[in-house]
Amino acid sequence: MDSITDAKKEWRARLRAGRSALSESRITDGSSRITVVAATLALGPTVAAYIPVGREPGGSGLIDALAARARVLLPVTPVEPGPLDWAEYDGALAEGAYRLLEPTGPRLGPDAVLRATTVLLPALGVSRTGVRIGRGAGYYDRSLGAFTGRRVAVVYDDEVVDSLPAEPTDVPVDAALTPSGLIEFSVAP
């Protein structure tokens, strides 16, 4: 492995450990606060989001709050590595690949995300320069390279850090949505 890969692996382990140490009340409170903050933001008529897994911030309330104000696209994870497919959220979810909850409606294809104004992305952490570190599978990086809208990582407050290692294929984010509010970054094009 190279030094960037090793550094990312170390950061993932550190960020996962921090998230694992969070109390259930902090997770519930953080997700509720994120939902409240998101409800105040102008995210556009179409928002791409995700269904939180495990201790990821956001919770199911976030998706329903977004759907009350906008068309919501949710990812459908392909079995083979590649870009994400997308489907519109209509309130129905079912277990899909990798036992993740996914929308049950018609698949819209990988390019559907290009019609979104904002994408809310899962992340383990994000730097103040817009570097996002996810779980490491690269689905979002492969899916958002041509996306020209706003990319927002959803994280807990202490998961916004000064710097993170990045590779040329890592797609930067424009902001972080945290329980304390939205943090905008200056991201070079």
Side-chain angles (χ1 to χ4, degrees):
M1 280 197 257
D2 63 39
S3 61
I4 293 176
T5 302
D6 290 342
K8 287 172 104 174
K9 184 177 179 182
E10 290 171 17
W11 268 105
R12 280 188 186 99
R14 184 182 319 166
L15 291 162
R16 280 186 179 120
R19 195 171 276 182
S20 292
L22 295 175
S23 68
E24 290 302 319
S25 63
R26 183 153 177 228
I27 291 169
T28 301
D29 181 59
S31 292
S32 295
R33 288 174 181 255
I34 284 171
T35 298
V36 169
V37 171
T40 68
L41 300 175
L43 299 175
T46 301
V47 177
Y50 66 97
I51 300 294
V53 175
R55 300 173 80 79
E56 286 181 335
S60 61
L62 176 61
I63 302 305
D64 290 330
L66 293 171
R69 301 177 44 218
R71 177 180 186 226
V72 176
L73 302 178
L74 294 175
V76 177
T77 307
V79 176
E80 298 295 322
L84 296 165
D85 198 345
W86 299 87
E88 187 169 348
Y89 175 63
D90 63 4
L93 299 170
E95 193 173 281
Y98 308 106
R99 300 177 63 193
L100 299 172
L101 289 178
E102 299 176 344
T104 59
R107 302 306 182 239
L108 304 173
D111 289 341
V113 72
L114 301 177
R115 295 187 289 278
T117 308
T118 303
V119 175
L120 299 181
L121 300 102
L124 291 171
V126 64
S127 76
R128 296 182 198 290
T129 59
V131 175
R132 171 190 160 272
I133 192 162
R135 292 180 174 205
Y139 285 108
Y140 283 93
D141 291 322
R142 285 189 295 276
S143 300
L144 298 177
F147 179 73
T148 59
R150 190 175 191 196
R151 298 176 190 99
V152 180
V154 182
V155 293
Y156 296 104
D157 292 305
D158 55 355
E159 294 171 343
V160 178
V161 298
D162 289 334
S163 65
L164 287 169
E167 297 171 290
T169 56
D170 292 337
V171 175
V173 297
D174 305 293
L177 176 58
T178 74
S180 295
L182 185 73
I183 304 168
E184 300 277 356
F185 304 130
S186 294
V187 179

